[in-house]
Amino acid sequence: MLAAASPFGRKEAFSLLKSLSPKRRLIPFEAARLLATGDPMVWETAAAMARAMREQVFGRRIVLFAPLYLSNECSNNCLYCGFRRENREARRITLSPEAAVAEARFLEKKGYHRLLLVTGEHPTRTQPAYIGDVLRAIYRETKMRILHVNAAPMTVDDLRMVKEAGAGVYQVFQETYHPETYAAMHPSGAKADFAWRLTCMDRAIPAGFGDVGIGALLGLYDYRYEVLSVLRHAEHLLEAYGTFPHTISVPRFKKAFGSPLSSAPFPVSDAEFERIVILYRLSVPSAGVVVTTREPAALRERVLDIGASQISAGSKTDPGGYAEGRRRHEAEQFEVDDTRPMEEIVRRVLAKGYLPSLCTSCYRKRRTGNTFTEMAVDGHIRDFCLPNALLSLAEYAVAAEDATLREESLAAAREARKEMEGSPLLPEFDRKFAFVLEGGRDQCF
Ligand code: SAM
Ligand code: SF4
């Protein structure tokens, strides 16, 4: 497809980009043509459309979350990862369910309500039953509202067990969709099986995961091939199950302690990274486009203006790292670039005119899978995103230790409430909002 895709002329590109909407997304061949287009004016317009697209689907809210690393024990040997089996210098840690609860409590105090549990793949330390135990323990012992999982591909039965333990989104990145590169990067272990990984979501969805997350690890192969493959994967999920992936992540290679790959074989520049975010947003309007703390602060701020909708904040990639409090290279997966704490991220998101959201409502009100995809495309999800973002922001503000941050957050929430004038949800919203200001928790639509 890449070879056949000719660049767009400016006029043709403008008229296509202006016609896009949540119901008229960029199709993969158009995405290939856009990728072949170098004209900066075209990309400027595409960036503006990507931002408009995100606002039509989700409004101004930006979802915040944190990863919780459970284990760095792994029997695979991915060349890029610090958790690989042959990294003899790594300090191996697998959190007990109690230790995972301690990490979750730490993050709960910081104001997070959604976490992404991340683990290596080890035949005895990180089995599905262990992940299930951790999920149940965190839900039981904390007020964490939704836990997503990024772990190895599993069988349908195992995926069902993890789902039944309360997982929200199941996330697996293909790393590279290029089979030869995949074979070179994954020389041994269960992960060497390309097809088992590629078909993971074809098991996860039948196992009950309405919401799945996909992505390619940028830097392993030609990014244009990877991006089109991610889009093709997304189209497959829509064709086969009626639902787009709930999230598309944009992880980019980072040098990892103890990994033999000291630099990306196909480096992706910041400008290319931006184009990838734009393409994902224009091609899969309903997806959460996720940019993590792998990226530098300035780029993370920029991607908010061009279609990203979810960012992690204050992350640690070593199991137990939150409670530990100091950096441990020898146990982390890769080096985090944006080390700003949650409070600073909230402040910056507000300063840029967006609404930091700690909302978890859709998973809990069963607006998931194809229901979510349809509501998002019809422009109905944003009707929920605004009040839910404001209620979660107000709850965050009331608990915030920093008085200035509290005032800034509440002022932004009150100002944004004006956008609800005329909404049938307004009277109920005002009741819930007043309740939250009095210290009430967990209010949503
Ligand atoms: N072990 C499971 C797996 O490989 O799918 C899940 C956990 S793994 C720690 C999560 C993701 O981290 C991987 O899918 C990969 O995309 C990403 N990752 C690994 N090494 C990385 C690196 N050096 N830089 C950036 N991302 C990396
Ligand atoms: Fe293990 Fe996942 Fe790291 Fe590969 S990416 S070494 S499977 S933790």
Side-chain angles (χ1 to χ4, degrees), residues 69 71-74 76 78-83 116-122 126 149-153 170-176 186 191 197 215-218 220 251-257 259 261 292 294-295 317 333-335:
Y69 276 71
S71 172
N72 61 9
E73 298 197 68
C74 193
N76 293 316
C78 313
L79 293 196
Y80 43 82
C81 179
F83 294 174
L116 172 66
L117 306 187
V118 185
T119 171
E121 181 175 13
H122 190 279
T126 67
V149 173
N150 183 321
Y170 201 74
Q171 214 181 59
V172 170
F173 306 150
Q174 185 60 25
E175 321 299 13
T176 170
H186 306 101
K191 195 163 165 180
R197 197 166 182 89
L217 177 56
L218 301 170
L220 302 185
R252 182 166 59 162
F253 171 86
K254 293 275 307 175
K255 164 96 190 87
F257 171 83
S259 93
L261 212 59
T292 70
R294 289 172 179 87
E295 303 307 327
T317 71
Q333 192 196 11
F334 51 79
E335 198 176 325

Side-chain angles (χ1 to χ4, degrees), residues 103-282:
E103 289 283 273
R105 281 209 182 102
F106 179 96
L107 291 164
E108 193 181 8
K109 286 203 188 95
K110 295 260 169 215
Y112 297 92
H113 301 312
R114 84 165 64 192
L115 301 179
L116 172 66
L117 306 187
V118 185
T119 171
E121 181 175 13
H122 190 279
T124 55
R125 302 293 172 97
T126 67
Q127 314 99 314
Y130 160 79
I131 297 174
D133 287 346
V134 171
L135 284 161
R136 279 185 291 271
I138 297 178
Y139 282 125
R140 193 177 56 238
E141 305 291 334
T142 75
K143 295 203 165 58
M144 206 49 80
R145 295 175 191 164
I146 194 76
L147 301 170
H148 302 318
V149 173
N150 183 321
M154 297 178 190
T155 63
V156 174
D157 285 348
D158 285 344
L159 284 159
R160 193 174 291 122
M161 184 167 74
V162 172
K163 177 70 202 164
E164 282 167 5
V169 176
Y170 201 74
Q171 214 181 59
V172 170
F173 306 150
Q174 185 60 25
E175 321 299 13
T176 170
Y177 286 82
H178 186 250
E180 291 80 21
T181 306
Y182 189 93
M185 290 290 156
H186 306 101
S188 61
K191 195 163 165 180
D193 189 339
F194 178 85
W196 179 248
R197 197 166 182 89
L198 191 60
T199 51
C200 179
M201 300 319 172
D202 298 277
R203 297 186 296 281
I205 295 174
F209 278 97
D211 293 332
V212 298
I214 63 173
L217 177 56
L218 301 170
L220 302 185
Y221 187 61
D222 183 339
Y223 79 90
R224 296 167 311 158
Y225 178 97
E226 304 290 18
V227 167
L228 292 179
S229 302
V230 167
L231 297 181
R232 190 66 204 90
H233 196 169
E235 296 284 335
H236 160 71
L237 297 177
L238 185 69
E239 283 158 18
Y241 309 104
T243 175
F244 266 131
H246 192 70
T247 56
I248 301 183
S249 298
V250 201
R252 182 166 59 162
F253 171 86
K254 293 275 307 175
K255 164 96 190 87
F257 171 83
S259 93
L261 212 59
S262 54
S263 59
F266 287 80
V268 172
S269 69
D270 286 0
E272 289 163 343
F273 189 93
E274 289 183 18
R275 290 180 179 191
I276 295 166
V277 170
I278 292 168
L279 276 175
Y280 285 160
R281 171 57 60 218
L282 294 178

Side-chain angles (χ1 to χ4, degrees), residues 26 28 157 181 237 262 271 274 295 323 328 349 368 380 404 407 436:
L26 204 64
D157 285 348
T181 306
L237 297 177
S262 54
E274 289 183 18
E295 303 307 327
R328 296 178 299 178
V349 172
T368 57
H380 293 319
T404 323
E407 286 320 309
V436 169

